[in-house]
Amino acid sequence: MATFLLVHGAWHSGRSWERVVPLLETAGHRVFAPSLTGHGDKVHLAGPGVGLDTHVDDVVRLITEEDLDDVVLVGHSYAGLVISSTANRVPERVAHLVYLDAMVPEDGESAIDVQPLTRRLVELAERSESGWRVPPLPEQPAPFGLFGVTDPADVAWLRGTLSDQLVRCLREPVRLDNPAVDAIPRTHIHNVGATPAGIVRRPVPPVQPNGTAAQVWELPTGHDCMITMPAELTGLLLKLA
């Protein structure tokens, strides 16, 4: 039995994994899919002081309170930063890092550094009435849809689960100063369906930090593959169990 900890991306919540969690559990594995502070059932905790470090605290607290070991830590999109800093804090608890169409940072980088389009969103938010809320990206015409989701029923469901992202989450840098992080195996899963203009993906170096060959898998779908291709995504994750 493996332990999967699935961390959602910006604007999303733990509900984004609803189609994947039961598939992993049916295969006999333990699965956690929390909502980060300011999202989902914790949306009431949103505030200008909530940042990347808050979200890392969320994940580290869950790992320690549940006494989880050998965790397959999966981060979608923005959560690539969250799982990186989490592994920096508790590397002895993490068996594998999975970057799911995710931002892959270097030490000291923020989401703005990794995904430059984010800078424009942050600047607009800082000039808005709140000064700290970044609203969800709007739906685009097919084939882009809402975070890559195009089915009308799925779009309606997804829209109902989204909440504002907080500026501090996108400005705070990751900390990757623990050499033990480099020993953790990594897998990158890229969603290679239609990609909106302005979105960039850094190339994966051919060699992982632990010295092994890079492992990169692809899914022919949009950004939110946990909604559009849950069975296929689960099949890839089960290879790591």
Side-chain angles (χ1 to χ4, degrees):
M1 181 181 72
T3 298
F4 289 91
L5 204 171
L6 313 177
V7 187
H8 65 80
W11 299 289
H12 291 61
S13 74
R15 293 186 63 192
S16 63
W17 304 102
E18 283 186 359
R19 296 178 181 178
V20 173
V21 170
L23 298 177
L24 289 172
E25 290 179 334
T26 298
H29 303 293
R30 194 178 186 193
V31 188
F32 296 84
S35 289
L36 301 173
T37 297
H39 300 276
D41 59 345
K42 300 183 181 71
V43 70
H44 60 288
L45 300 176
V50 174
L52 172 62
D53 289 344
T54 310
H55 291 164
V56 175
D57 288 342
D58 289 340
V59 179
V60 171
R61 186 180 307 111
L62 189 155
I63 290 173
T64 55
E65 289 181 352
E66 296 288 341
D67 195 22
L68 305 181
D69 285 307
D70 296 325
V71 176
V72 179
L73 190 55
V74 182
H76 178 237
S77 195
Y78 152 79
L81 281 71
V82 179
I83 67 169
S84 295
S85 278
T86 296
N88 192 70
R89 294 261 299 272
V90 288
E92 71 283 358
R93 302 271 188 161
V94 180
H96 207 106
L97 289 169
V98 182
Y99 292 90
L100 177 56
D101 222 34
M103 300 182 186
V104 185
E106 300 291 338
D107 181 39
E109 289 189 321
S110 70
I112 290 174
D113 299 312
V114 182
Q115 187 58 257
L117 176 65
T118 307
R119 181 180 299 277
R120 177 61 175 162
L121 301 177
V122 167
E123 291 172 347
L124 289 172
E126 290 176 332
R127 294 199 298 267
S128 70
E129 183 177 352
S130 75
W132 52 272
R133 291 182 176 273
V134 182
L137 300 177
E139 181 182 356
Q140 300 184 51
F144 306 114
L146 183 63
F147 295 102
V149 178
T150 56
D151 178 83
D154 287 344
V155 168
W157 175 85
L158 175 59
R159 187 181 291 114
T161 71
L162 300 177
S163 56
D164 292 344
Q165 185 69 8
L166 310 180
V167 162
R168 189 166 181 172
C169 298
L170 305 176
R171 282 204 175 276
E172 279 191 341
V174 302
R175 288 288 172 257
L176 295 175
D177 54 5
N178 187 340
V181 174
D182 289 344
I184 302 173
R186 300 181 176 195
T187 293
H188 301 262
I189 302 176
H190 293 165
N191 299 329
V192 295
T195 302
I199 301 296
V200 298
R201 177 186 290 131
R202 288 178 170 176
V204 177
V207 179
Q208 298 186 73
N210 67 357
T212 62
Q215 181 161 262
V216 182
W217 297 331
E218 295 182 349
L219 287 172
T221 189
H223 188 53
D224 279 6
C225 60
M226 68 287 294
I227 297 171
T228 58
M229 297 187 76
E232 293 82 354
L233 172 59
T234 300
L236 294 180
L237 295 178
L238 288 176
K239 295 181 180 180
L240 306 175

